[in-house]
Amino acid sequence: MDEAEASGQVWRGEVRARLTAEQDRDALARLVEVDADSFEVELYERAADPQVLSIERAQRSQAGQYTRHVRRLRDAQQHQEVEQ
């Protein structure tokens, strides 16, 4: 495995492991309701930004697509080996 593939694998793992932007936004909204601390409000506004939500969804989608692509390639390779 080369350095680029290893780096990509780490990134995809981090994307899958973290909470979704919607979960972050909802948790911060609850904090802001209880204590409208200016820092918490700023974090909430960032988490609720449509562009942040869109980027996060795109990252999760790309990570999932790559994982499915690799799985299909492995399945096809195994299928070819069985036929031979």
Side-chain angles (χ1 to χ4, degrees):
M1 180 182 304
D2 67 354
E3 186 176 335
E5 179 59 30
S7 174
Q9 193 171 28
V10 168
W11 177 81
R12 286 185 294 278
E14 290 172 356
V15 168
R16 284 190 299 270
R18 69 182 181 219
L19 295 175
T20 66
E22 286 86 358
Q23 289 171 318
D24 284 344
R25 180 197 61 210
D26 294 345
L28 287 164
R30 288 190 298 273
L31 282 174
V32 169
E33 283 180 15
V34 173
D35 174 25
D37 179 86
S38 62
F39 180 67
E40 291 169 352
V41 170
E42 186 178 330
L43 289 176
Y44 171 77
E45 288 172 352
R46 177 166 167 25
D49 182 353
Q51 187 174 11
V52 169
L53 296 171
S54 178
I55 290 169
E56 197 264 344
R57 285 185 199 116
Q59 288 175 342
R60 287 183 173 280
S61 176
Q62 195 277 334
Q65 287 175 10
Y66 184 83
T67 301
R68 288 186 297 277
H69 174 71
V70 169
R71 187 180 325 126
R72 284 190 297 270
L73 288 176
R74 257 190 261 134
D75 291 348
Q77 185 179 19
Q78 288 174 355
H79 183 70
Q80 276 185 337
E81 290 172 359
V82 169
E83 286 182 351
Q84 292 176 357

